[in-house]
Amino acid sequence: MSVDLVEKPSPSTTTPSSQAAALTVKPLTPILGAEVGGIDLRQELDAQTAARVREALLAHKVLVFRDQPLTDDEQIRFSRIFGKVTPAHPITNGLPDQPAIMQNVKSVMTSRVNELDAIARQQLRANSKGRRLRGWHTDITFVANPTSVTILRGLEIPDGAGDTAWVDLEALYAALSPAFQQLVDGLTAVHGRDDARIGYTPLPRDDGRTTGPFLSEHALVRIHPETGRKSLFVNPVFLKYIPDLTDAEGAALLDYLFEEQAGRIDLQVRVQWRTNDIVVWDNRNTSHWGPLDEIHFAAERIVRRTTVDPEYTTGPTGFRSRQIVGEPFYTLD
């Protein structure tokens, strides 16, 4: 899907730098995703090349850079072309010497032990709303100002496994009928996270901030601040309920939207990782699931993530996201 960029200067008005002239952008699907080549991210990008990378992100939403063996410092420097760098995560600590970098290790994540006893787990299940969530999510929507752009580096990737998929939430909104668009344009939704309640109490944060619980309220449709385009703001992992609807009405609506998000494979792109790949995505108009094949492989998978520019979202009615419980996110820069 093509995107009309807002007030972007035409690259043809200036002579391209040697870096910018070497840059290539190859779409991965007609709707979503592109592979970017011709540049070495170990080198600092000049202003013109950085601007073209940002324009490519607005146009394609997911960018894949192959064979980029960056250091942690180089990943942080590259991240800054998209905005101000945040801590690793509102709940999870970053690396001891790099608080901006969150490391996900498959063997660590899958070996976590739930603190609840058998009876408490049964009570939790009995009092929870069961939905087929799969793994689709937009990052940290339990805060009022989720990060704008995510940069993920494949430090250790198993052969032929560890894939991530993305879905275009702008295209998903555009696929709705005008009557349905009018309905969702006027709704908000509450997002939340409370790891301790489900038996996984987080470690204390190094900066002393809260690890939860978190609740925030967002518009169900958000407007992209740079392109002005509308996208569905649906997140099966963190979205809990729609305040203006009854529980039954809200559940029916969300179940439909979640199933559309998962089932519209024509609006998705699936990326097969290789070690030293970098993938950048726009967290404002996409949802992702990765590694989506996690249960099918036993090999180790290690990725390192940086994020930038926490941003309060705005909906078609002018509703601005608000924090209900917990703290908004912040930047290190």
Side-chain angles (χ1 to χ4, degrees):
M1 175 173 290
S2 62
V3 174
D4 295 327
L5 305 181
V6 177
E7 296 183 356
K8 291 290 184 179
S10 170
S12 62
T13 60
T14 58
T15 302
S17 67
S18 58
Q19 268 189 342
L23 186 145
T24 62
V25 180
K26 179 182 178 182
L28 294 173
T29 78
I31 294 292
L32 179 67
E35 190 165 305
V36 180
I39 55 175
D40 183 350
L41 300 184
R42 292 172 298 180
Q43 308 300 318
E44 186 169 2
L45 301 185
D46 61 47
Q48 191 179 64
T49 307
R52 292 193 172 183
V53 170
R54 290 192 296 270
E55 288 181 355
L57 181 65
L58 289 178
H60 298 283
K61 303 181 180 68
V62 178
L63 302 181
V64 182
F65 300 79
R66 300 291 189 186
D67 192 24
Q68 301 284 343
L70 304 189
T71 65
D72 292 340
D73 286 341
E74 288 166 346
Q75 179 175 349
I76 292 171
R77 183 186 66 198
F78 173 59
S79 301
R80 288 193 171 109
I81 77 166
F82 303 102
K84 294 182 178 180
V85 174
T86 71
H89 193 269
I91 296 174
T92 306
N93 287 311
L95 297 176
D97 58 342
Q98 293 284 6
I101 292 182
M102 185 172 83
Q103 177 168 270
N104 286 336
V105 180
K106 179 179 184 289
S107 60
V108 173
M109 297 298 292
T110 56
S111 64
R112 291 185 302 168
V113 177
N114 193 287
E115 303 159 3
L116 302 180
D117 61 29
I119 296 298
R121 287 198 297 273
Q122 290 180 60
Q123 290 175 321
L124 177 65
R125 184 176 182 182
N127 291 284
S128 298
K129 298 175 182 178
R131 290 197 178 98
R132 291 201 304 165
L133 301 181
R134 299 182 176 92
W136 292 103
H137 66 286
T138 300
D139 288 335
I140 68 166
T141 64
F142 50 86
V143 294
N145 55 340
T147 48
S148 298
V149 178
T150 300
I151 301 92
L152 195 64
R153 171 165 56 110
L155 197 66
E156 184 176 334
I157 303 295
D159 291 338
D163 296 3
T164 303
W166 285 264
V167 61
D168 186 333
L169 298 180
E170 289 179 356
L172 196 62
Y173 175 84
L176 299 174
S177 67
F180 206 105
Q181 289 177 350
Q182 186 175 11
L183 169 65
V184 295
D185 276 354
L187 295 174
T188 66
V190 171
H191 299 230
R193 180 167 176 174
D194 187 355
D195 289 14
R197 186 182 71 86
I198 59 174
Y200 296 101
T201 302
L203 295 173
R205 285 192 56 84
D206 294 336
D207 58 13
R209 292 178 179 248
T210 182
T211 58
F214 290 89
L215 276 181
S216 64
E217 186 176 5
H218 300 281
L220 192 59
V221 174
R222 67 178 294 180
I223 297 175
H224 196 288
E226 294 184 75
T227 67
R229 296 177 68 93
K230 293 180 180 180
S231 64
L232 278 173
F233 196 15
V234 289
N235 187 341
V237 173
F238 300 132
L239 199 164
K240 303 304 180 183
Y241 65 92
I242 297 177
D244 287 343
L245 301 182
T246 67
D247 285 348
E249 292 168 343
L253 176 61
L254 291 176
D255 285 345
Y256 172 74
L257 294 177
F258 293 164
E259 288 299 317
E260 281 291 283
Q261 178 179 247
R264 290 297 302 267
I265 60 174
D266 57 321
L267 306 181
Q268 299 171 14
V269 64
R270 176 168 175 161
V271 173
Q272 187 172 78
W273 287 85
R274 298 193 293 261
T275 297
N276 292 326
D277 285 349
I278 305 288
V279 181
V280 181
W281 66 89
D282 195 329
N283 201 50
R284 298 166 292 188
N285 51 20
T286 64
S287 181
H288 62 281
W289 176 7
L292 54 85
D293 50 0
E294 182 175 30
I295 64 173
H296 302 297
F297 68 93
E300 187 66 281
R301 179 183 187 270
I302 302 174
V303 294
R304 290 187 173 177
R305 191 188 84 173
T306 45
T307 53
V308 304
D309 278 1
E311 182 177 83
Y312 289 85
T313 66
T314 302
T317 66
F319 180 86
R320 185 174 185 265
S321 299
R322 67 186 185 96
Q323 197 74 41
I324 302 171
V325 177
E327 301 173 346
F329 208 25
Y330 62 103
T331 64
L332 295 172
D333 288 345

